[in-house]
Amino acid sequence: MPRGTRVKAGELAGRLAALDIDEGIRIERASGGIKMFINRSPSGVFIVQFDDSKDFQYLASAKQVAALVRAKFGSRFVAWIY
């Protein structure tokens, strides 16, 4: 089963900005463990969920989401767009 299209760390901010409402991004720590799922609502708000948590964060811009990814993962992550 394909995981989706791999996104390079340097491309993440641009891919977030261009994320369509029927797409999502899955980010995982390179060594395993933490996962993050990012989607975009029709109003343009980003919805971020960690692992299997039922808590969501709502962020207004791709820049805020990219900062959150850097804070949680540093540069050691792998990402796929699905």
Side-chain angles (χ1 to χ4, degrees):
M1 174 182 198
R3 293 182 166 187
T5 303
R6 181 122 184 221
V7 178
K8 295 179 182 176
E11 300 173 344
L12 183 62
R15 296 300 288 264
L16 284 165
L19 193 66
D20 200 4
I21 61 171
D22 63 345
E23 297 175 319
I25 296 179
R26 182 179 70 245
I27 300 174
E28 300 176 10
R29 179 171 282 157
S31 60
I34 300 173
K35 293 180 185 174
M36 177 189 286
F37 300 91
I38 304 165
N39 295 91
R40 196 168 192 180
S41 73
S43 64
V45 174
F46 291 91
I47 301 114
V48 180
Q49 180 182 16
F50 289 98
D51 295 319
D52 294 329
S53 171
K54 293 181 181 175
D55 295 324
F56 296 88
Q57 287 187 350
Y58 299 92
L59 301 170
S61 70
K63 188 175 182 179
Q64 290 176 327
V65 176
L68 179 62
V69 170
R70 281 192 306 275
K72 293 287 184 180
F73 297 97
S75 62
R76 306 283 302 163
F77 64 87
V78 290
W80 293 273
I81 198 163
Y82 59 90

